[in-house]
Structure formats: C-alpha cells, structure tokens
Amino acid sequence: MEPLRDVDPACIGAHALLARLGAGGMGQVYLARSPGGRLVAVKVIRDEIVGHPEALARFRREAETVRAVRSAYTANLIDASLAAAPFWLATEYVAGPTLARGVAQRGALPADTCRRLFAALAEGLASVHAYGVTHRDFKPQNVILGAQGPQLIDFGIARGVGETALTQEGQAPGTPGYTAPEVLLGAEAGPAADVFALGASMAYAATGRPPFGTGVATTVSYRAVHEPVDVAGVEPGLAALIEACTAKDPAARPELSEVVARCAVRDALVDDPVYVGLGALGEAVPLHEMRTQGPGAVPYGYVPTAPAGTAVPAPPPGRGGRRAAGWVAAGAALAVVGGAALWQLTPLGGGGGGGDGRDGKAAGPSAQGPSGQAPAGQAPAGQGSAAPSAAAQSPAGPPTFIKQTAPNLDDYNPILKQCHNPVGEEPGLGNFQTSVTTAESDYLKELKPGQVRIGFRLKFPLADAPPYYVAVVVKPQHEVDPGGRSTAVTDNRQLGFVAKARDLYEGDETQWKYALYPDDFSMEGDGKRVPAPPLAQDPGGWTVVFRHAVSDNQHKSVVCDGFDSGPQKG
C-alpha cells in the first residue's frame, strides 16, 4: 500500500481515494471509501490502453464475471463504469497480504498449514467453477489471505462456458509457472487447468520457491510442460497431492472435491496460528482525512444527483465529465422525482394479451427460487392465501405507468437461470403464478422471432379481494440512452421498459393476463417516449420483474425472472 500521489484523483465515481494498493498490466488499484464509509478496492484501466479493444473486452469481462460469481471466496462487485473513459470497477476490499507476499516475507509454510490452505483454496475454486467460470490465472499473487479465509481476485481473463478467447493468437493465457501444460500447447483452459495452477501455487507455499524455477518465460513454460514440479523437502503426503494436481495429463488430475478430501483437515484455517500470523503482514488502512479537489469538485467518473425540484447541471470539463451515466448528457437538465429518480418510465399502448389462458404451462421459472422453494413472500403453489391488506391500496386511485424512484437492482443471471437480487416479502400472493415465453420456447409457434409473452395470474380465485395492481418490467442487461440505444454500462440500474399496470383481480383472476414485448413496453426519459428496443440489440440476459404498484411512485418487486435472448433470427 502506498500513499496517493499528486497525479491521483481525489475520487473515482462516488468513492473517495485513500491509498494505492498496487498496479498491474491493466491499470492502477486504489483503496477507497464508499459514500457510506465502506472500504472498497477500485481498479482503473490505464489511459494508454483504453483504445485497445482486447484490453477493454478483458476489463469488461472481469466486471461481468465478478458480478456473476457470488462466493464466500470472492469479493463482490460494488460499482463499475464501463460505458466510457475512465473505465473502472469497485469491489469489496479484503484486508490481508497476498499468498505471494506472505511466503516471500515469512518463507515456506508448514505442511499442516499448507493442507488447510490447500483445502480452502480448492473449495474456493470449486465454488467458482459451479458458476460455469474458470479462473485461468490462478497464482499466489491472486490469492489474498483474509481474516475470514482466502479470497480469489483478478478475474481479468476468466472465462464462462461458451465464451470466446481474448488472448492474442499464439499467446497462452495465464502466468508462466502456473499455466497448465495443455494450455501452453494450445488447448483450451478448463477446470483442470485451474487444478494445475492450484497445485503449482501450493508447491510455492510449501517450498518458498517458484514451482518450475526461474528464468525467462519460455524456459519456465518449457519446464512446466516437460519437467516435474519442485517439491524437494516437502512432507511426502503433501508432495504427492501437489504432484497429482500438477500432472501433465489433465485427465489424471484429481477433482477439487478429491483434493479437499485428501487434505483431511479437522480444524478451521482461520484458527491456524501460522495463517493468523500471516495476516499481520497486511497493512493498516490509512485514517487520514479524505482529500478534495477544490470547492464543488465533481467526483472522478461520476455524475451527481440533485435535490428534489432542481436540475442536474452538466459536469464541468475534465475528468469529472467523462462518464455518461444513464440519461445524463452535457447540458441536459433532468427533473428529479422524490429526490432520487433520474428516469421516468411510461409504456406505450395497453397492457397486452387478453388473458385467454392459452399459456397453460403455468408458472415460469420465477414460481420457485433457486433451491426449488418459493421465493420470499410466496407460499408453495396451490396453497390459498388471504387477500392483500387494505393498507396496501393506493390512496390516490389506481396506478397507470410506474416510474423509477430508486436504482433497480433486480438482475437475472442467464447462466444460473435466477435473479441476483432477492425479491421483497409480499403478503397475499400465495398462489401467484408467472410465465415468460420467448419465441424459441413457444411450442404453439404463436410468437414471432424477437417477441416475448409475459403473463401472470392467480391459480386459485380469492373472494372479495380489493384491487391489486401488477406492472411488468423488462430490463436489458445494459442501460439505454435517450435514443433507445444500448450503452456499455454493465451494472444496469434503470427500472427498465414497462407495460401498463393491471389489476390482478380484473375479470377472472385465474385467467392469464399478458404483456407482449416489445409491443406493449416503453420508457420515457428526458421528456420523450422511447419504444422498447428489439432483443437483437442487446443479446444476453434480460430481466423480467413483476412489481406490485400502489401508485405510479410506490411499487416494489414481488417476483424476479428473466430469459436469455441469445442471437435473434428474423
């Protein structure tokens, strides 16, 4: 950790900088505090490689991967700016030295400590693999020895299933000495390559020496392909496990679950006195006062909001105005609703479909949570429930077009086929069912390519129920600008494109009520309506949210679902 320099900005996004954590080939990493005082690590891509397509793609991939992987062994993504320079991402800050630094300062670790660390890292890699992601650059420099256990960092070249390579032709991904032989010889890096890197990293931890010696990259890589890993002096049982993990044939390497079993740990890593002592090698967080860049300075890469009833001024020239966030453009003034909203969303046309019950497949994926249980606030399907309380009804009449009053964090992961943001508890919807049907999944072939039919209903009727308005929201994975064009912003916090709110009990509540995307959806921003874009504009995961609307400005998510648009035909 180093002090900030005069050339460093005071803030990046909304985060005030405290110190430099380090630098790499991609850029600079800072320690910062969020507006609420939370410590975060902010990585900023270097200006000189901003124009390099591969570097930007790798940086965006890292943000997408960190956001998708939710593990106790990885730091969560807090915020990111990926639409325009300056490009940066902020993750949770984990205090502690890297494994590389810990071994460099302390020396080789005892066999028992190595086994405990081995098991914890194997478990961590397994949790990442469960998301369909391979790290592809696992090494001691990318392991932080945190107080609660090790953390895996730097997913810049991580790959999900089916993703294409970003490395240049003829250049293997990873780091010499930790890159698997098959990858060095041109094969794809799969989970077994991460097992090799784990074994090589533990060889370093157990010996204090690079696993395949030192020298130029080609020499080290040659040894990794043709020579055994260096485990001289290592306790035999631990050496055998390291050698198994670094086998030249990927099929001969053990599964991560076998690695954990062979470590046979009986107590927690965080109780290991050597591991605890390594934590002391970490650096104290600086407590100096946060710097400023003069009165009225705009944070680096961040567009401020304004109090209710005022306009948001254009950012001043320089670093503070280089990021276009959401709807904000130079010279634009946006009305703020309730002191927080930067977008107003209003649909074009009606609420879609006539509730004819043709989509008899009943509830879509949103009827159950990721573990097969009903989401919060929902009883198992088929069980009746009381009607919503009278207190939930709108005092100002029925809602029409709901508007954004806060950032929308609902987000569908097409790999896991579930939403990241849990829905709020909602009484009275014990038999609420939803359905999301794309043209590809429409077995009746009634939908045209690029259309999605979204429906909701009650499986069993409720007697004398007061009105209960449901608004359907469809949110692409990237934000859109006032012209309806997708931006490169990864963390889309816009509400999305909205269909007209409809009363759940309108007519027969057991019949399906539909909205058709894109026909029945639109967004209103900066004083004009924007029709919903085609799915082909933003292939990938799209989020579908069902919101209980008490009024246009009072609504909350009750069910979150989604679909993978994929390549669109026609």
Side-chain angles (χ1 to χ4, degrees), residues 58-79:
R58 182 174 294 181
F59 193 70
R60 287 173 176 144
R61 170 176 284 173
E62 179 174 10
E64 294 281 8
T65 302
V66 174
R67 184 175 70 159
V69 176
R70 301 286 179 171
S71 167
Y73 296 92
T74 61
N76 288 330
L77 183 70
I78 301 297
D79 197 4

Side-chain angles (χ1 to χ4, degrees), residues 111 114-119 122 195-196 198-200 202-203 229 231 234-247 252-265:
C114 283
R115 285 193 178 86
R116 296 183 183 104
L117 181 59
F118 213 151
V195 174
F196 179 92
L198 171 62
M202 292 312 303
V229 66
V231 288
V234 178
E235 187 270 328
L238 177 61
L241 180 56
I242 291 173
E243 289 172 330
C245 290
T246 55
R253 296 170 201 152
E255 297 289 334
L256 290 168
S257 57
E258 181 184 342
V259 173
V260 174
R262 288 179 63 174
C263 288
V265 297

Side-chain angles (χ1 to χ4, degrees), residues 71-98:
S71 167
Y73 296 92
T74 61
N76 288 330
L77 183 70
I78 301 297
D79 197 4
S81 173
L82 305 176
F87 299 94
W88 56 269
L89 62 87
T91 64
E92 293 175 308
Y93 171 69
V94 181
T98 64

Side-chain angles (χ1 to χ4, degrees), residues 44 107 159 176 233 252 272 318 330 351 381 430 449 453 457 485 513 515 541:
V44 186
R159 291 272 299 282
D272 185 291
R453 186 171 58 218
R457 72 163 186 172
R485 297 176 294 272
K513 296 175 176 62

Side-chain angles (χ1 to χ4, degrees), residues 4-30:
L4 295 173
R5 303 175 186 174
D6 291 340
V7 295
D8 293 322
C11 298
I12 294 178
H15 311 291
L17 301 190
L18 298 177
R20 286 180 163 225
L21 289 176
M26 290 287 287
Q28 180 69 44
V29 183
Y30 294 98

